[in-house]
Amino acid sequence: MQFALLYYYDPAVAGPTKDELLDWLAFDGAVRKAGAFVHEAAFHSVSRARTVRVRDGKPVSEHGGATGAPVLAGYYVIDVESVEAAEGWAAKIPTARYGAVEVRPIVGYDA
């Protein structure tokens, strides 16, 4: 089954540090070595985002991300045997220590 591990944090409370880079490299190496890795991506700061909404049938684009916290910082897509296995990987993502990691099944890969 494939799952997206979406990692979030509230920049007003805490955020990534330079020191956690080694933790990220260890996590990435472990998920790849286990054969669970499918895809991953991290995002630039929300200040570089654009938010698009359709109002009265017309698209409106704004600088910045969708309002509110926490912000989505990135994601991994993994292929594992169960939601419990996906939760185990989610707990190893460094952002889980100060933010949250959402585990979502990928449509077409859920049992």
Side-chain angles (χ1 to χ4, degrees):
M1 298 173 61
Q2 289 193 355
F3 295 89
L5 308 179
L6 308 163
Y7 48 97
Y8 298 82
Y9 70 97
D10 183 346
V13 176
T17 66
K18 290 181 182 179
D19 293 337
E20 83 181 36
L21 177 59
L22 292 177
D23 296 334
W24 276 106
L25 292 172
F27 172 80
D28 191 74
V31 76
R32 289 171 189 268
K33 185 176 180 180
F37 177 84
V38 175
H39 179 76
E40 63 84 20
F43 301 124
H44 283 286
S45 166
V46 71
S47 67
R48 293 185 61 183
R50 304 277 300 186
T51 299
V52 177
R53 295 178 174 85
V54 176
R55 299 296 184 260
D56 298 321
K58 297 178 184 160
V60 178
S61 178
E62 301 170 345
H63 288 281
T67 57
V71 297
L72 177 61
Y75 67 92
Y76 268 79
V77 175
I78 60 171
D79 194 343
V80 294
E81 66 278 358
S82 66
V83 67
E84 291 81 12
E87 290 171 350
W89 283 111
K92 295 176 184 176
I93 290 181
T95 306
R97 296 189 297 249
Y98 53 85
V101 180
E102 182 179 349
V103 177
R104 304 253 324 250
I106 304 288
V107 174
Y109 292 95
D110 49 343

